[in-house]
Amino acid sequence: MVERVYQIAEGCISDIMEYFPCHHDKSSSGQENLQPESFLAGIYYFRICSYTEQIAVINYLEKFLGEHKDVRIVIIDSVTFHFRQDFDDLALRTRVLCGLSLKLMKLSKSYNLAKGVAL
């Protein structure tokens, strides 16, 4: 959730201020960089509500990554969640998930992304 990411950004800033007080710039531009909004500005967020949306977004990722060269990690919170909820055919579900996994691995290699999956 966006609210949780905002809380994490606030916590990071708090830790930086506490543990590295001499290492952050005290100028106005340095203070601007130590705002939750500056952390969040580098995060792209897609909210997925169904397995069809998830398939569409994963298929769109290649174009998105081509247009946003600064992306270094893609986080998918539970690849299987929507498939458990809305997918009755277990064999088809397995094939679709394997295909998505293969696509994500290829994107990871092509765009040098960090790797990690939550099931």
Side-chain angles (χ1 to χ4, degrees):
M1 299 300 291
V2 175
E3 296 82 11
R4 181 67 182 127
V5 175
Y6 192 90
Q7 291 172 343
I8 292 169
E10 288 178 319
C12 289
I13 292 166
S14 176
D15 286 350
I16 290 169
M17 300 294 272
E18 180 179 347
Y19 296 112
F20 304 102
C22 298
H23 295 286
H24 66 278
D25 187 358
K26 292 186 168 109
S27 69
S28 63
S29 64
Q31 291 298 325
E32 288 173 12
N33 289 336
L34 286 176
Q35 298 297 318
E37 291 78 12
S38 67
F39 280 67
L40 298 176
I43 296 175
Y44 304 98
Y45 176 79
F46 297 90
R47 186 168 183 92
I48 307 296
C49 297
S50 69
Y51 70 88
T52 54
E53 287 180 11
Q54 182 172 327
I55 293 168
V57 168
I58 290 173
N59 286 330
Y60 172 68
L61 268 179
E62 186 164 13
K63 180 180 180 193
F64 183 83
L65 293 170
E67 294 170 354
H68 298 85
K69 303 287 188 193
D70 57 335
V71 174
R72 291 290 161 245
I73 186 170
V74 172
I75 299 171
I76 300 174
D77 184 12
S78 186
V79 171
T80 61
F81 175 77
H82 295 293
F83 289 89
R84 285 187 293 226
Q85 302 293 321
D86 303 325
F87 225 87
D88 295 327
D89 184 341
L90 296 180
L92 180 58
R93 176 176 76 179
T94 301
R95 286 194 303 275
V96 171
L97 285 170
C98 286
L100 293 177
S101 176
L102 182 61
K103 183 164 190 86
L104 289 169
M105 288 188 294
K106 286 180 180 178
L107 289 172
S108 175
K109 185 173 184 172
S110 297
Y111 291 94
N112 196 28
L113 301 172
K115 296 163 187 68
V117 175
L119 297 175

